[in-house]
Every structure is written in structure tokens, then in C-alpha cells.
């Protein structure tokens, strides 16, 4: 290709997580020429490492951005968040779709309810698929939390997860990528199916901005990133497309749009505003194993190599008692047992009753000695969408601090009284469950070091019916910019009170027909109606009546 020749395609998809992989598959299967630009590396199962050494998969596939009052941990690799998530895939409770939040009226588009989204949830469940651990094969940590909930008069439920339990070894490193292909990441379904239909995936391509073309399409500007030092750019380029799908994640999509304003024109007011951390909060219980044995009748063989909570597979059990639509907003939350490998969790966990600093020192060293007896409980509640992004950095979504993983972002997040009340109520519930009868001492992770934190960033470019408070219309199209769609977590209007991956994926499935329709109007020869990536069609048949006008004869 000569220097004067501009590369062209039908659709550019920015990002390869749930929002990007799902749309890329359906558009490619429908006949469109699709190019996926992914800022992170492309790793396979045998490349995932069980350590936190610099340069290992654990630092290469994460993006940890520290902002003002909020830090965001997200995926940075082909497959996005599906490679580094814990694979929990619950559906959002019915009341979520009627939330009003800080705007005092329904945040979600009127066309999206739990009932209307269920057929799209079914499509995702068919593609991954999703299973539930039974109590007979429950991990120690999951069984302990379930028994503690029962002891305190709470219910507990196994968490639906995209895990092939027959392949899972209980190594508990799934957050850093699965070496055994037990976790059903997008590397095993939508992405290979997209490739089979001719889509092209380009790793280490970080999109910087968009501009318009003379033909009414869009030009995507990117840098090529060094595979070892993400601060270094080894080249740059552009590619023209008739349709652009932004799926770079809630911490990066709004930054790309902000940086594109001089070349695209004014962005909707809500682009880069109303960010939600999914109301997330983490508590650590330092367990007294003797009391656990006496009170709950649960113990584990002390001779095993991996002891106590180091055996497992992320979240297995959740208490959903407070997912009750009759409760007032900000009093609804889920509590989920999980386990972080040594690293981030050991740094941010506070020391119960510390007389000095709460996150380092002699007392912290002592509880680290008891690492095998930690149980982490993850709260997902309702926040006030307080996050706002400042002016974009010169490149990327953050000022890179280290060669991999760590950056300083422009997001500002100051929790409101509503958000803080929800955290306080959930903290009290965790203490009630796990401190009962002296089984443990519970402390929340510190907010002093990195502010609030989330592994499920949402809502920074959200859907809605009101143009004043939503950047996207009900079809995920960016207001004022036809042919640009957003399908990642930034499109979700607010906190979900449960893990959001299933909802992000279902919304992406739901968005595809509108993207197909727009692509046709812009001259792309594309159809809709591809089966699940593994060839199943039962869930497809469930949505066909909704999009019958788009299905090829």
C-alpha cells in the first residue's frame, strides 16, 4: 500500500471485550468487512502466568488507572475484560431497569426492561455457555461464606459463571487469564468465530481519535504500541470505515470521544460524565479457623499444598437478600465471596484494630502471615454516577506511569452521601455475617491509597431517552454522530448491583440489529441472523421476531 493510499473497510471495532467481540462476530458473519483494533496484546492459554512479575501476563493484560477519588482496573488484551474477569455472569435484577439515581427519573430507555432484555441474555448464555457450581463441589471459600450466611439467617446462592467445571483445576489464578481454557473467555467463542468469517484483529493498536471523511464515513487514528513498554509507540496509522463501533471500555471510550471533539464536532453533554463504579466495595475477613471449625463445622486438611481460601475459582457464592426492589434505592446490594491472589489485595486490605497505619507496617505483616485465612467479600451496590472525566491526556486513556499496567487518569469521583450510605449498609451486613460468634474480624479495603475502586467501570457514555443525561440513544448510536455506536460497559446507564458482564454482553447482542441497519443505510452489504458462535440456533430463534425485517431471506 502506498503512503498516499488510505486503508478502507466497512466497520472498525475499537476494543475486543464483550462489546467489541460480539458486534465484530455478527457483522463479519453478516458479510461486512470488519477490522478490530485492540490496544493490548494477544495471548493464548499457555502464555498466562501464575505470578505478578513485571512482564508476565498479570501486568501485560491489566490496565490499572488511578484517578481523583476513583481507580479503575480493567482488561488490556485481545478478549478484554473476559480474559481477566472472574467469569461471574448473573442477570441484572428487575428493579435495576427502573432506577432513577441522581437524575430523579428513569435512567434506562423505556424500551429496555428485564423482560425485553431476557431474549438477548439467552443468546449470550447459549454462546459461552454458563454453569453453576453445586454445593457438593463447592470450594472451601464458597462453602464457608455460604455456611456463614446461613448461620446469620441470610440466604446464599451459587453464582452462575462462564466456567467449564470439568476443565477447572481450582488454581484460583483465573483473574490473570486461564491457562486451562476452563474460563469461557471471548478467546474461545465470539472472537474465533469472527476470525472464521473474515474479521481481522490487530493487537497493540491503540485508537487515539476519530475524524470525518469526505464520503460521510469516519477515519480512525491509531498508534501501534510496543509489546513490552506501553509508553512507547512504534508507529501510527489511519483506517477509514463507514461504521465505527466503540468498545474500548468505560475508562477509555469517553476519552477517545473527548479527544475527537475538534475533528468530529461537539460531543453529547453526557460523554465522559455519569461514570459509575458499580457501587463496588471490598471487605476482608481475617478468619479464626478454630472458631470457623467450632461454629460452622467447616475445616480443611492442613496438609494440603494450597490451604483454605487459596483453593477456588473466584466468586462461587453470593448473598442476594438485599436485591429486593421494595427496598429504597442505595439500600440494595449483593455480597459475593471471592479471592484475589497475592498482590493488589494484600496492599489495599486494612488491618483490624491497627494502632498505626492501616495498610502497611508490623501489624500488616502479621496478617499477611495468615494469608491462607483471608476471605474477601465483594459488594456491588448503587452509586450516584458521580464520575466525570477531565480533559484527555495527550495519548491513550491515561498518563502511563510504568511500562505496563499503571497509569494516572483524568477521572474525578467524589462519593455522595447516597453512595456512602449504601457502602455503610453493606459493610454492616458483611460484619454481621462474618464477625458473628467471633469467627473473624472484618475491615474494608483502604480508600486512602487509590480512592474508591472498581473492576466494573460503567456508564461514562450511557444509553437513555433524555439527550441531556445520555450520550447514546436507545440503539447505542452516539447522539449527533450517525454511524458511531458504543457497545461496552460505558453504555450501561447505572450500577447493576451484580457483576455486569452478562448485561454488557446482552446489550451488545441487542445493539447489533441497529448497527446492521445503519451499516446498510451507509452502503455496507451486510445481513443479520448469524447463529450462536458454536452453531446453536435456539436462542437466535427467540430474538428473530424482534428483528425479522433484517433477516436474510
Amino acid at each position: 500500500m502506498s503512503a498516499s493510499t488510505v486503508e478502507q473497510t466497512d466497520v472498525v471495532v475499537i476494543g475486543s471485550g464483550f462489546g467489541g467481540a460480539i458486534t465484530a462476530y455478527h457483522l463479519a458473519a453478516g458479510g461486512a468487512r470488519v477490522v478490530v483494533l485492540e490496544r493490548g496484546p494477544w495471548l493464548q492459554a499457555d502464555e498466562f502466568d501464575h505470578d505478578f512479575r513485571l512482564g508476565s501476563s498479570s501486568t501485560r493484560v491489566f490496565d490499572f488507572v488511578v484517578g481523583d477519588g476513583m481507580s479503575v482496573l480493567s482488561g488490556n488484551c485481545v478478549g478484554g475484560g473476559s480474559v481477566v474477569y472472574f467469569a461471574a455472569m448473573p442477570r441484572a435484577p428487575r428493579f435495576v431497569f427502573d432506577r432513577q439515581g441522581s437524575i430523579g427519573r428513569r435512567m434506562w430507555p423505556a424500551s429496555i426492561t428485564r423482560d425485553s432484555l431476557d431474549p438477548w441474555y439467552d443468546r449470550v448464555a447459549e454462546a459461552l455457555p454458563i454453569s453453576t457450581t453445586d454445593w457438593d463441589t463447592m470450594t472451601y471459600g464458597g462453602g464457608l461464606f455460604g455456611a456463614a450466611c446461613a448461620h446469620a439467617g441470610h440466604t446464599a446462592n451459587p453464582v452462575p459463571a462462564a466456567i467449564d467445571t470439568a476443565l477447572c483445576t481450582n488454581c484460583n489464578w483465573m483473574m490473570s487469564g486461564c491457562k486451562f481454557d476452563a474460563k469461557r473467555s471471548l478467546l474461545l467463542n465470539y472472537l474465533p468465530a469472527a476470525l472464521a468469517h473474515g474479521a481481522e484483529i490487530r493487537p497493540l493498536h491503540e485508537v487515539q481519535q476519530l475524524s470525518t471523511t469526505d464520503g460521510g464515513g469516519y477515519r480512525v487514528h491509531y498508534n501501534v504500541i510496543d509489546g513490552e513498554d506501553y509508553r512507547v509507540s512504534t508507529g501510527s496509522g489511519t483506517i477509514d470505515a463507514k461504521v465505527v463501533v466503540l468498545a474500548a471500555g468505560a475508562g477509555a471510550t469517553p476519552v477517545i470521544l473527548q479527544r475527537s471533539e475538534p475533528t468530529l464536532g461537539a460531543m453529547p453533554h453526557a460523554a465522559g460524565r455519569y461514570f459509575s463504579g458499580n457501587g463496588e466495595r471490598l471487605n476482608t475477613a481475617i478468619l479464626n479457623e478454630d472458631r470457623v471449625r467450632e461454629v460452622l463445622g467447616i475445616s480443611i486438611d492442613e496438609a494440603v499444598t494450597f490451604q483454605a481460601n487459596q483453593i477456588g475459582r473466584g466468586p462461587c457464592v453470593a448473598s442476594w437478600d438485599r436485591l429486593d426492589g421494595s427496598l429504597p434505592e442505595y439500600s440494595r446490594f449483593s455480597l459475593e465471596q471471592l479471592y484475589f491472589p497475592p498482590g493488589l489485595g494484600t496492599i489495599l486490605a486494612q488491618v483490624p484494630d491497627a494502632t498505626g497505619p492501616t495498610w502497611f507496617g508490623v501489624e500488616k505483616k502479621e496478617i499477611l502471615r495468615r494469608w491462607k485465612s483471608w476471605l474477601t467479600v465483594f459488594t456491588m451496590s448503587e452509586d450516584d454516577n458521580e464520575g466525570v472525566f477531565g480533559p484527555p491526556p495527550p495519548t491513550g486513556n491515561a498518563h502511563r506511569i510504568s511500562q505496563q499496567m499503571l497509569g494516572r487518569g483524568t477521572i474525578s469521583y467524589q462519593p455522595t452521601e447516597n453512595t456512602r450510605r449504601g457502602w455503610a449498609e453493606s459493610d454492616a451486613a458483611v460484619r454481621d455475617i462474618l464477625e458473628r460468634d467471633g469467627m473473624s474480624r472484618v475491615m474494608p479495603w483502604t480508600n486512602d491509597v487509590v480512592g474508591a475502586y472498581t473492576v466494573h467501570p460503567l456508564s461514562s457514555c450511557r444509553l437513555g431517552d433524555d439527550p441531556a443525561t445520555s450520550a447514546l440513544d436507545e440503539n447505542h448510536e452516539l447522539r449527533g454522530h450517525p454511524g458511531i455506536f458504543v457497545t461496552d460497559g460505558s453504555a450501561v446507564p447505572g450500577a447493576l448491583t451484580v457483576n455486569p458482564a452478562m448485561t454488557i454482553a446482552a446489550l451488545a447482542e441487542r445493539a447489533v440489529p441497529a448497527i446492521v441497519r445503519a451499516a446498510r443505510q451507509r452502503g455496507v452489504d451486510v445481513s443479520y441472523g448469524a447463529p450462536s458462535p458454536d452453531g446453536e440456533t435456539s436462542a437466535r430463534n427467540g430474538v428473530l421476531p424482534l428483528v425479522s425485517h433484517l433477516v436474510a431471506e
Side-chain angles (χ1 to χ4, degrees), residues 438-457:
M439 286 190 296
S440 75
R441 293 304 313 277
V442 174
M443 282 291 287
W445 283 20
T446 179
N447 293 99
D448 299 333
V449 183
V450 298
Y453 28 77
T454 181
V455 295
H456 297 138

Side-chain angles (χ1 to χ4, degrees), residues 427-468:
D427 286 352
V430 176
R431 290 194 300 271
D432 178 61
I433 292 169
L434 289 171
E435 289 188 344
R436 191 173 288 252
D437 294 323
M439 286 190 296
S440 75
R441 293 304 313 277
V442 174
M443 282 291 287
W445 283 20
T446 179
N447 293 99
D448 299 333
V449 183
V450 298
Y453 28 77
T454 181
V455 295
H456 297 138
L458 303 170
S459 310
S460 54
C461 193
R462 65 185 186 179
L463 294 159
D465 289 331
D466 178 10

Side-chain angles (χ1 to χ4, degrees), residues 27 41 59 139 141-142 179 188 219 226 238 261 309 323 329 342 429 468 482:
L27 292 166
T59 60
T139 64
K179 290 184 72 72
L188 304 175
R219 181 160 294 169
D226 182 79
T238 60
E261 196 160 23
N309 300 301
L323 298 185
E329 226 173 324

Side-chain angles (χ1 to χ4, degrees), residues 56-78:
S56 73
S57 64
S58 296
T59 60
R60 294 174 67 194
V61 300
F62 281 116
D63 187 45
F64 186 62
V65 175
V66 180
D68 178 13
M70 172 62 73
S71 292
V72 179
L73 182 66
S74 54
N76 182 62
C77 56
V78 173

Side-chain angles (χ1 to χ4, degrees), residues 13-25 36 191 245 247 487-488 508:
V13 177
I14 303 170
S16 59
F18 285 105
I22 288 171
T23 52
Y25 163 63
V36 180
L191 288 174
V245 177
T487 57
D488 56 24

